Amino acid sequence: TMAAEQENAGNLKQKLAKLFQLSLEATVPGEPDIEPLVAACTAKFGDYQCNNAMGLWSKIKGRPGIEFRGPPAVGQAIMKNLPQSEMIESCSVAGPGFVNVVLSKNWMAKNIQKMLVDGIETWAPKLSIKRAVVDFSSPNIAKEMHVGHLRSTIIGDTLASMLEFSNVEVLRRNHVGDWGTQFGMLIEFLFEKFPNFEDVNETAIGDLQAFYKESKQRFDVDAEFKDRAQKAVVRLQSGEQMYRKAWAQICEISRREFDQVYQRLGVHLEEKGESFYNPYIPGVIEALTNQGLVEESKGARVIFIEGINIPLIVVKSDGGYNYASTDMTALWYRLTEEKAEWIIYVTDVGQQQHFDMFFKAAKRAGWLPADDRQYPKASHVGFGLVLGEDGKRFRTRSTEVVRLADLLDEAKTRSKAALIERGKAAEWTEEELEQTAEAVGYGAVKYADLKNNRLTNYTFDFDQMLNDKGNTAVYLLYAHARICSIIRKSGKDTGELKKTGKIVLDHADERALGLHLLQFAEVVEEACTNLLPNVLCEYLYNLSENYTRFYSNCQVVGSAEETSRLLLCEATAVVMRKCFFLLGIKPVYKI
Ligand code: ARG
C-alpha cells in the first residue's frame, strides 16, 4: 500500500531516523524541533547509534514534570520508546546515553536481494529538485586546456552523473571562454597570416595555442598591431560579418580539439559559451539598475556586496562587459529561462571570491533565497591544484603546461605495458588489450583525482595511480573483474539465482559486507548533496576491502552456502559497477 511504501522510503539511515523521530516524540511529548541524530557506529556495540540523549537532557533538565536523571536515563527512554520494527534485532544504551542498534540480518539480506531483483536504481537518492545546471570543464578558446580544466571535467562529470542517477535532469554546460578581448588579436593575426582565412582549418593553423602565443607576442611589441587588435574587438562585438566569421572559425578549431579530449574521457557536455549570453547582458544590467543595485564607481558600474571591500564590476569603465557581467547574466538565464533549481559551478578554488560575490549579488537581486538550504541554489565546487612530483604546479618541463592528450596517451601506454607484462598479449585479442588498457589508464587518471578531497592539492604521479595495490582504480577494477570471474567459473546463472535462491548473512564477514552494500544508498546521497566525489571513492574502496575479507574467510563455490554467497558476489559487482559508472570509469570484466 501507499502508506507502507511511504514508511519504507529512504535509505537505511533515513529509515532509522524515522523510527527514532517517533521515539523522541514519545519520550518528550510536545517538544518541537528535535531532529534525530543517527549515525553509523564506529564502535563494535552496534551498526547505528542515536546520539540525541545528551543534547535532549540539557534542553529538558530542571523542567517541571521531567523525571529523568541524567542522559543515560534519557537514552534508556529513547530505547524503550522505539517502535517495533523488523529492521532491528536488538538495542542497547552505552556511555552517556548513546542508543546502539543492531540491525536484523534477515532484514538486511532481504533488502539486498530486493535490490538485485528490482535494480540498483531503487537505491538512488531522492532529491526535491527536478532540474540542475552543472557548469564544468569550461576551457578558454585558443588558450591552453590545462590540468585545471581536466579536474573540472572529471569532477563535474561525476557530480552530473550522481544527480542524473538521482533522477534530476542535468544541463551539462560547457561555459567556454569564447568572448574575451583575446579575440581582437587572434582575428587580426588570422587575417594577416591567412588572407583566405575562410578556408583555413586546424592543419593549416597547426597548434592553436602556439598561434595564440605568436599573436600575443605581436600584440605586446607592435603598437600598430595592438591598435588594430583593439579595434577588432569592437568590430567583432558590433557584429561585423567578416569579424564574426573569423571568430567562428577560431572557435570551431578549438572546439574540435576539446571534443577529442571529451570523447576520450567519455564525457558528455553541451557547449553554451560566454558569447551565448552576450545579447542578454544589457537587459539584465538594466533590470539590476532599476532595482537600485548598480552604482557608479571610478567610471565603472558596480554592485557593492556586504562584507567585501571590492565591488563586483558589471560594466567596465570603457563600457565593455567582463567575466562577471556574463556570469550574472548566465545565472539569470539558467534560473528564469532554463528553470534550473540548482546551479553548480566547478572551477579551481582561486575563483571562489568571484562566485561568492555574484551569488551574493543574485541574493540581493532576489533571484536566490538568502537561506542557502533553500532552492533555487547556486554552489561553487572549488578544487585545489595539481602538483608535479617536485611539489610545484604540475608542468612537463619547467615552463610548459601539460597537454591533456599527452597525459591520457601516457596513462594508456603504461597500463598497456603492465598488461603485457602480465602475459595478456598472448591471452587476449589486440582489441581486448587496447580497450582494457584504455579503461584502466583513463580510469586511473580519473580516480586519482576524485579520491582526494577536492579542495586539497594533489600530486600527479603515474607510478602511484597505476599501482595495482592500494587505493587505486587499477586495484578496484581488478577486484571487480575477479568477482565476475568467480561468478563465471561457478557456472551458475545469477539471474535465475536471485529469483529462487536466498541470501543469508550468518558469517560475520558476510554480515559486514551486507551492511556495507546496504549503505550505498546513503553514501551516494551524501556524496551528491554535499558535492563530494571522494566520499563515493572511499565507499568503493571499503567495499572492495570488505569483499576481500569475506572472500578470504568464506568459501563460495562448492560450499553449502554457495547460492547465497554467489548472490553476495553479484550484489557487490552490481554496486561496484554503479560506483564506477558514477565516477566515469569503465569497468572491465576480465583480468
Ligand atoms: N573559463 C573559465 C576558466 O577557464 C571557467 C569558467 C567557469 N564557469 C563560469 N560560469 N564562470 O577559468
Side-chain angles (χ1 to χ4, degrees):
T1 68
M2 264 305 276
E5 255 167 52
Q6 286 276 306
E7 208 175 289
N8 251 326
N11 55 47
L12 187 42
K13 196 161 122 182
Q14 287 161 343
K15 283 184 180 130
L16 284 172
K18 267 179 219 155
L19 292 176
F20 276 107
Q21 176 90 58
L22 294 172
S23 162
L24 289 163
E25 281 164 14
T27 305
V28 192
E31 182 70 27
D33 301 330
I34 8 181
E35 201 199 320
L37 305 170
V38 175
C41 283
T42 44
K44 57 182 183 297
F45 305 113
D47 302 315
Y48 281 82
Q49 60 186 45
C50 169
N51 301 335
N52 282 84
M54 280 196 289
L56 196 53
W57 166 249
S58 54
K59 219 168 163 183
I60 61 174
K61 70 176 163 201
R63 280 195 201 163
I66 292 293
E67 286 162 25
F68 305 117
R69 289 214 201 102
V74 179
Q76 289 291 344
I78 295 174
M79 179 170 85
K80 199 189 90 221
N81 289 322
L82 205 57
Q84 279 286 338
S85 164
E86 55 161 354
M87 280 180 86
I88 298 175
E89 179 139 328
S90 66
C91 291
S92 61
V93 177
F98 300 121
V99 182
N100 293 305
V101 172
V102 175
L103 294 168
S104 142
K105 56 189 176 189
N106 287 338
W107 181 87
M108 285 163 54
K110 228 172 63 189
N111 276 271
I112 296 166
Q113 190 143 11
K114 196 164 154 30
M115 179 280 285
L116 278 178
V117 175
D118 296 343
I120 186 82
E121 287 68 33
T122 53
W123 282 2
K126 306 216 169 24
L127 304 190
S128 62
I129 55 163
K130 288 203 175 61
R131 187 177 296 152
V133 166
V134 182
D135 173 322
F136 68 112
S137 193
S138 309
N140 302 315
I141 299 282
K143 295 194 193 164
E144 81 281 358
M145 188 174 182
H146 52 72
V147 269
H149 295 120
L150 180 67
R151 287 211 82 177
S152 175
T153 308
I154 292 172
I155 295 169
D157 181 47
T158 290
L159 297 177
S161 297
M162 289 197 292
L163 286 163
E164 284 156 353
F165 179 52
S166 313
N167 291 308
V168 175
E169 182 194 347
V170 180
L171 310 178
R172 293 165 160 257
R173 289 286 181 261
N174 199 359
H175 191 82
V176 294
D178 62 357
W179 204 243
T181 44
Q182 80 260 32
F183 278 99
M185 68 184 196
L186 286 169
I187 291 172
E188 278 308 325
F189 199 60
L190 184 73
F191 287 163
E192 221 174 69
K193 276 193 92 166
F194 302 97
N196 299 321
F197 73 92
E198 279 176 61
D199 306 323
V200 155
N201 57 31
E202 66 230 89
T203 31
I205 288 198
D207 190 346
L208 203 50
Q209 284 167 43
F211 185 82
Y212 176 87
K213 269 191 205 148
E214 244 183 288
S215 70
K216 178 85 169 72
Q217 258 157 24
R218 273 298 294 285
F219 186 87
D220 289 340
V221 298
D222 186 336
E224 187 270 332
F225 180 81
K226 184 173 173 174
D227 183 55
R228 253 191 296 146
Q230 279 162 346
K231 290 198 174 106
V233 181
V234 181
R235 298 175 79 167
L236 169 68
Q237 305 214 335
S238 65
E240 242 181 85
Q241 242 217 347
M242 194 165 79
Y243 289 81
R244 289 295 294 215
K245 267 197 181 146
W247 168 80
Q249 193 91 358
I250 295 167
C251 290
E252 183 55 28
I253 294 172
S254 231
R255 187 173 298 126
R256 264 179 254 158
E257 228 177 86
F258 298 156
D259 280 348
Q260 274 173 17
V261 175
Y262 299 139
Q263 214 163 23
R264 293 180 72 171
L265 291 173
V267 172
H268 163 75
L269 273 149
E270 195 193 328
E271 181 181 325
K272 260 198 168 68
E274 292 180 7
S275 63
F276 174 86
Y277 304 99
N278 205 54
Y280 301 97
I281 296 178
V284 168
I285 291 183
E286 191 187 311
L288 292 169
T289 307
N290 292 341
Q291 282 181 281
L293 260 63
V294 181
E295 293 169 52
E296 202 70 29
S297 170
K298 296 180 187 151
R301 296 172 66 196
V302 306
I303 299 177
F304 280 99
I305 316 274
E306 218 180 73
I308 300 178
N309 51 9
I310 52 165
L312 183 76
I313 299 174
V314 289
V315 185
K316 294 188 291 181
S317 51
D318 66 4
Y321 301 130
N322 62 8
Y323 193 47
S325 340
T326 306
D327 259 332
M328 269 312 266
T329 306
L331 179 58
W332 168 85
Y333 186 87
R334 289 160 177 182
L335 288 167
T336 56
E337 298 297 305
E338 297 185 315
K339 309 250 181 308
E341 296 147 282
W342 195 4
I343 296 127
I344 297 165
Y345 301 82
V346 189
T347 79
D348 60 291
V349 279
Q351 297 193 35
Q352 190 175 333
Q353 191 180 55
H354 162 73
F355 287 100
D356 190 38
M357 283 173 77
F358 87 85
F359 291 173
K360 286 195 171 125
K363 284 178 186 170
R364 275 192 68 191
W367 299 353
L368 297 173
D371 184 344
D372 278 324
R373 287 163 306 184
Q374 281 169 13
Y375 295 106
K377 182 162 81 170
S379 304
H380 177 232
V381 174
F383 53 78
L385 294 174
V386 184
L387 305 176
E389 275 153 70
D390 56 0
K392 299 203 187 102
R393 202 185 260 269
F394 189 42
R395 291 166 202 264
T396 34
R397 268 165 276 131
S398 54
T399 53
E400 291 287 327
V401 284
V402 182
R403 287 199 29 184
L404 290 189
D406 296 342
L407 276 188
L408 297 176
D409 284 344
E410 180 155 0
K412 183 177 166 185
T413 309
R414 284 184 182 231
S415 71
K416 191 169 172 183
L419 288 169
I420 291 171
E421 202 172 302
R422 294 164 63 122
K424 298 300 165 189
E427 244 176 80
W428 292 351
T429 65
E430 180 58 25
E431 198 189 340
E432 281 176 324
L433 194 62
E434 278 287 299
Q435 282 174 354
T436 310
E438 223 162 73
V440 174
Y442 300 171
V445 172
K446 288 183 177 184
Y447 189 79
D449 189 318
L450 293 168
K451 78 170 183 184
N452 306 291
N453 180 309
R454 54 180 167 74
L455 287 165
T456 57
N457 300 340
Y458 86 96
T459 305
F460 195 96
D461 180 346
F462 275 122
D463 290 332
Q464 201 175 59
M465 69 177 75
L466 289 164
N467 195 328
D468 60 6
K469 288 173 205 74
N471 190 2
T472 65
V474 188
Y475 162 74
L476 294 164
L477 285 165
Y478 286 7
H480 170 262
R482 240 174 266 125
I483 299 174
C484 294
S485 114
I486 290 163
I487 296 172
R488 263 198 316 270
K489 283 185 185 147
S490 78
K492 298 278 159 51
D493 175 1
T494 46
E496 270 312 305
L497 284 191
K498 71 186 178 193
K499 284 182 241 153
T500 52
K502 191 170 161 231
I503 297 179
V504 278
L505 301 172
D506 285 342
H507 192 287
D509 294 319
E510 291 175 321
R511 191 183 186 284
L513 174 60
L515 177 61
H516 198 74
L517 286 168
L518 280 169
Q519 287 170 331
F520 171 75
E522 64 205 48
V523 172
V524 72
E525 178 155 337
E526 186 200 334
C528 180
T529 51
N530 295 334
L531 307 169
L532 291 173
N534 64 306
V535 168
L536 190 62
C537 294
E538 198 183 307
Y539 171 84
L540 174 58
Y541 180 64
N542 289 331
L543 176 58
S544 182
E545 298 264 278
N546 268 297
Y547 178 82
T548 304
R549 220 167 296 126
F550 153 77
Y551 191 69
S552 358
N553 298 326
C554 303
Q555 187 194 343
V556 178
V557 178
S559 70
E561 299 87 352
E562 182 180 280
T563 297
S564 164
R565 289 180 178 169
L566 279 173
L567 288 175
L568 273 181
C569 289
E570 174 71 10
T572 306
V574 166
V575 172
M576 284 188 98
R577 278 199 291 276
K578 185 47 87 178
C579 291
F580 287 141
F581 174 80
L582 294 173
L583 299 170
I585 299 172
K586 270 209 193 101
V588 296
Y589 294 81
K590 257 190 359 188
I591 211 73

